[in-house]
Amino acid sequence: MLLERAWRASQGLRLPRSTIYKPGIRNFASNFPSNKTIPRWQRYLRRTGYLGLGVGIVWGVDTQFNASALGRNLRTLWACALITYEYKRNFTPEKSEQIPELHERVADILFNLFTSNGGLYIKIGQAIGANAAFLPRPVQIKFASLFDDAPQIPLSEILSVFKSEFGRLPSGPGGVFEYFDEQAVASASIAQVHKARMWPGPGQAEGEGEWVAVKVQKPAVGKQTEWDLGAYRIVMWLFEKVAFDLPVYFVVDFISDHLRQELDFVMESENAQRTAAFVAADPRLSQTVYIPRVFPALTTKRIMTAEWIDGVRLSDRDGIRRLVGELPGVSKPLRGGTRAIMEPMVELFSAQMFLWGWVHCDPHPGNVIVRPHPAAPRTPQLVLLDHGLYVQLTEEFRREWCALWEGLLAGEWGVVNGVTRKWGMGMPDMLASTILMRPVKLQRGRPQQDPRLRRKPIEEMDNYERSVMMKAMLKAFLIDTDRMPKVLIFLLRNMRMVQGNNKSLGSPVNRIKITGFSASRALTRSSPHANLRTLVSEYYHYAIFRSVMLSIDLAFWLARTRQWLWRLLGFKHAGMGFEDELERSMRGMAKSGFGMDLGPDAFDG
């Protein structure tokens, strides 16, 4: 072999690969053929196997140690890509008749995304759905069923949170509580609530400790938060820049900051204590509204302990009606009927907006409990829960908000136009109708519109033309998003929920009257050091405002009388109240004036 190699080298030749040997070493090259000798299907199969192994490892690590955050983001980006593809391909004049089906498919994609991912996605979906009235009808319907509900997490995860936060178990010898119910009484997207009993205090026997509600954050939420908010940012950017060409990205930072705050239970406990102080300082609300006490020593960033309250949730309509004697089932019903429940509720949220500048932004009926007042068992008392989401209004905005409401109800075009222009918003009629949730025409004739938005009557437009006009209207409505007060997003959501609560109980109170009077009183009382000319001007406008409010009140009582007569005579629409009639008028105006197809639940928040 050596002689052969020397001869070949002298002749400038090379040995074949299969004949290359080294002393004492086996010829491994002959056992590992080159890629040229391996069939192509085997190479592809091997690469596919490597890829599958890598994906499996990443999936396993993401699932076990990262709460599936990466997988959730990929699902989000895939949904976003599908929506973009659907609109780019199918939102054309040639496919105008198919646009309703297009909206239906997109609504299904969004709904499946939010419900599959859960967690903060439910909160994000609710934040987007706060303005569902401006979305296509199928999306309105889907968002109306996007509830903040979720399965319970295993007890092992609850125990891990307690060990992390307190260094001990929730109950048992040395536990945080004397008794801790392992079965949660409620479970939402980011936390679940358990009933527990505190250890007995001085002078108390075993088993006499106070009952408390313990809110425990789900462990996966903390890991998913920044991933979810990052995906939310990307999606909104794509929707604005690529898919829809609509001004939506400007709200991302504001909403993200407030969603992060909902995950800090120490901040939530501070919010509850601050609200309780406001309520206690108000002579009327202190008797009709109650904020459960929190226990700071038993509260951390992921666990909050508060006083346990027994009562009927506002979402239980039949239970509320039985409680006040409108349905049989309670031997000693509470006095005042549903009016005694809704009146303090509207007064509470009006005081938050106009007097305190400190607004609870999630007053859905599941967060309100009605119970007999402890000191007056025949009087109803409202208990407000879930204080994770609040907005703080600046003094300047609070005064402008008061002035806007008074101007809306008094028909003062100059005031409304001045405030809306300052906020970088156009189409004051549209803003007024959105705020009051009733048709508003600040000038005679049809609602003010940019001539470019209307090329022919809405009745003659096809689906594509109406959608294009709606997009143009939204752009004309949000002229300068940098100047728009972002708190409006949550204030409008707050008011829609209050309206929905009033509507669900048959509209027992004149919500617009109560809210309007609160705004006007706050405006006249907010400048104690103003000069005489300013005070005279404010009270003059207040007198005009009172006369307008009288006409609204007459309309309310007319609706109540008609409602009573219909119920007495057994007519089909016996349950239709003042809020229902306002919504019906609003839908008609939106359809004829703005081309908006609003569903029956578009204003329920």
Side-chain angles (χ1 to χ4, degrees):
M1 177 63 69
L2 294 177
L3 291 175
E4 181 182 359
R5 291 181 62 188
W7 179 81
R8 285 183 174 276
S10 65
Q11 298 299 317
L13 301 176
R14 298 179 60 187
L15 282 173
R17 182 179 181 90
S18 61
T19 61
I20 297 178
Y21 291 89
K22 291 186 178 180
I25 300 178
R26 186 179 177 184
N27 187 359
F28 287 103
S30 64
N31 295 328
F32 295 94
S34 65
N35 283 339
K36 293 182 180 180
T37 63
I38 300 177
R40 180 176 298 177
W41 69 269
Q42 290 186 6
R43 295 202 305 270
Y44 288 158
L45 182 62
R46 184 171 58 186
R47 293 169 185 173
T48 302
Y50 291 153
L51 177 62
L53 178 62
V55 170
I57 293 174
V58 172
W59 178 85
V61 172
D62 184 51
T63 302
Q64 295 298 321
F65 304 103
N66 200 35
S68 301
L70 180 59
R72 290 152 56 87
N73 277 9
L74 292 176
R75 189 182 297 125
T76 300
L77 296 178
W78 175 248
C80 184
L82 285 178
I83 293 173
T84 302
Y85 171 79
E86 285 280 6
Y87 274 108
K88 288 295 184 182
R89 180 178 180 179
N90 299 312
F91 188 73
T92 62
E94 296 78 18
K95 298 183 178 181
S96 176
E97 295 300 321
Q98 302 175 18
I99 287 179
E101 289 79 7
L102 168 64
H103 292 326
E104 187 76 36
R105 292 196 299 273
V106 169
D108 289 336
I109 293 173
L110 286 173
F111 184 80
N112 292 334
L113 171 66
F114 292 139
T115 53
S116 298
N117 280 356
L120 274 188
Y121 275 77
I122 299 296
K123 297 291 184 181
I124 293 171
Q126 291 173 341
I128 297 174
N131 295 301
F134 298 99
L135 301 175
R137 180 72 173 273
V139 182
Q140 295 176 26
I141 297 172
K142 284 293 184 180
F143 273 113
S145 59
L146 190 62
F147 298 112
D148 191 4
D149 194 10
Q152 296 186 26
I153 59 174
L155 178 62
S156 59
E157 296 188 28
I158 295 294
L159 299 181
S160 69
V161 175
F162 268 87
K163 290 179 181 178
S164 174
E165 298 298 302
F166 291 112
R168 48 194 175 134
L169 296 174
S171 61
V176 179
F177 303 101
E178 182 183 29
Y179 169 80
F180 181 85
D181 191 345
E182 297 178 357
Q183 187 72 21
V185 296
S187 180
S189 56
I190 66 174
Q192 60 188 46
V193 178
H194 293 256
K195 189 175 183 179
R197 186 175 59 234
M198 298 176 63
W199 290 100
Q204 290 182 323
E206 183 179 350
E208 293 183 352
E210 183 174 356
W211 287 101
V212 292
V214 184
K215 184 176 181 180
V216 184
Q217 188 176 125
K218 297 180 177 180
V221 173
K223 299 177 182 178
Q224 295 166 348
T225 299
E226 294 306 320
W227 287 87
D228 290 352
L229 293 179
Y232 168 57
R233 182 179 299 274
I234 293 172
V235 167
M236 297 299 278
W237 185 87
L238 289 174
F239 281 178
E240 177 169 321
K241 303 297 183 181
V242 179
F244 305 127
D245 188 28
L246 288 174
V248 294
Y249 187 76
F250 73 98
V251 303
V252 168
D253 288 333
F254 183 78
I255 290 179
S256 296
D257 290 343
H258 283 80
L259 290 177
R260 288 190 186 96
Q261 293 175 19
E262 283 200 82
L263 303 181
D264 187 346
F265 291 172
V266 172
M267 180 175 292
E268 180 174 346
S269 68
E270 293 172 353
N271 292 346
Q273 294 176 78
R274 183 177 179 185
T275 304
F278 276 123
V279 170
D282 190 297
R284 295 188 62 185
L285 294 177
S286 62
Q287 300 301 314
T288 57
V289 177
Y290 185 74
I291 309 298
R293 291 179 293 113
V294 296
F295 298 88
L298 297 175
T299 296
T300 68
K301 189 172 183 178
R302 296 197 294 165
I303 295 177
M304 189 182 79
T305 304
E307 176 184 7
W308 179 267
I309 301 292
D310 286 312
V312 180
R313 291 187 183 269
L314 199 62
S315 54
D316 183 1
R317 300 177 187 178
D318 289 341
I320 292 294
R321 289 193 167 94
R322 279 193 292 269
L323 193 63
V324 298
E326 293 184 2
L327 290 177
V330 177
S331 58
K332 293 183 179 181
L334 303 181
R335 299 188 182 97
T338 52
R339 179 184 179 88
I341 294 173
M342 280 310 306
E343 189 168 301
M345 184 176 187
V346 178
E347 290 175 344
L348 169 65
F349 289 102
S350 297
Q352 289 184 0
M353 288 190 298
F354 303 123
L355 289 174
W356 308 342
W358 175 246
V359 186
H360 185 294
C361 297
D362 201 14
H364 67 75
N367 282 342
V368 180
I369 290 178
V370 181
R371 68 170 183 177
H373 194 292
R378 299 295 301 277
T379 303
Q381 185 182 60
L382 266 65
V383 181
L384 184 61
L385 308 176
D386 197 352
H387 300 270
L389 183 58
Y390 274 79
V391 291
Q392 174 69 65
L393 310 184
T394 65
E395 179 62 19
E396 179 182 12
F397 175 84
R398 188 189 64 80
R399 284 187 56 81
E400 291 171 350
W401 185 237
C402 292
L404 179 63
W405 261 86
E406 189 181 53
L408 289 176
L409 294 174
E412 296 179 345
W413 164 258
V415 173
V416 177
N417 189 53
V419 173
T420 54
R421 293 294 175 181
K422 182 179 178 180
W423 290 352
M425 304 174 73
M427 304 176 69
D429 288 325
M430 185 175 179
L431 177 63
S433 301
T434 303
I435 290 175
L436 296 180
M437 281 156 286
R438 73 179 183 92
V440 175
K441 294 182 180 180
L442 296 170
Q443 289 182 318
R444 293 182 178 180
R446 300 180 68 85
Q448 183 189 25
Q449 293 191 22
D450 189 327
R452 295 172 296 178
L453 303 180
R454 180 72 61 81
R455 297 184 181 276
K456 60 182 178 181
I458 289 179
E459 295 77 12
E460 300 177 10
M461 293 183 178
D462 58 28
N463 292 318
Y464 178 81
E465 292 171 329
R466 290 181 182 176
S467 298
V468 170
M469 190 193 75
M470 277 297 303
K471 182 177 2 181
M473 288 181 60
L474 186 57
K475 288 185 176 182
F477 182 53
L478 300 175
I479 298 175
D480 187 348
T481 55
D482 291 334
R483 286 190 289 147
M484 175 188 165
K486 309 304 184 295
V487 294
L488 277 176
I489 299 168
F490 289 118
L491 290 184
L492 294 176
R493 180 172 187 254
N494 174 295
M495 291 189 301
R496 271 197 293 278
M497 286 186 176
V498 172
Q499 182 213 22
N501 293 334
N502 189 37
K503 172 188 171 183
S504 69
L505 295 180
S507 307
V509 300
N510 187 343
R511 170 186 54 86
I512 296 178
K513 173 186 174 182
I514 297 173
T515 309
F517 273 129
S518 180
S520 186
R521 286 194 301 267
L523 190 63
T524 54
R525 294 175 183 175
S526 60
S527 49
H529 304 294
N531 56 45
L532 179 61
R533 180 178 179 180
T534 301
L535 289 175
V536 170
S537 175
E538 287 183 350
Y539 280 100
Y540 169 74
H541 288 292
Y542 180 67
I544 298 176
F545 164 82
R546 287 295 297 262
S547 64
V548 175
M549 293 297 289
L550 177 61
S551 65
I552 294 177
D553 205 31
L554 290 174
F556 168 77
W557 285 110
L558 178 62
R560 290 287 286 175
T561 303
R562 185 165 55 248
Q563 185 181 18
W564 177 78
L565 288 174
W566 283 353
R567 186 179 294 112
L568 183 66
L569 298 174
F571 282 175
K572 181 179 178 181
H573 299 290
M576 181 171 290
F578 188 52
E579 300 286 7
D580 298 275
E581 295 189 6
L582 291 180
E583 287 187 7
R584 186 172 58 180
S585 300
M586 182 66 179
R587 288 196 296 272
M589 189 198 79
K591 184 77 172 181
S592 61
F594 302 112
M596 298 169 62
D597 186 15
L598 304 181
D601 299 320
F603 303 102
D604 286 352

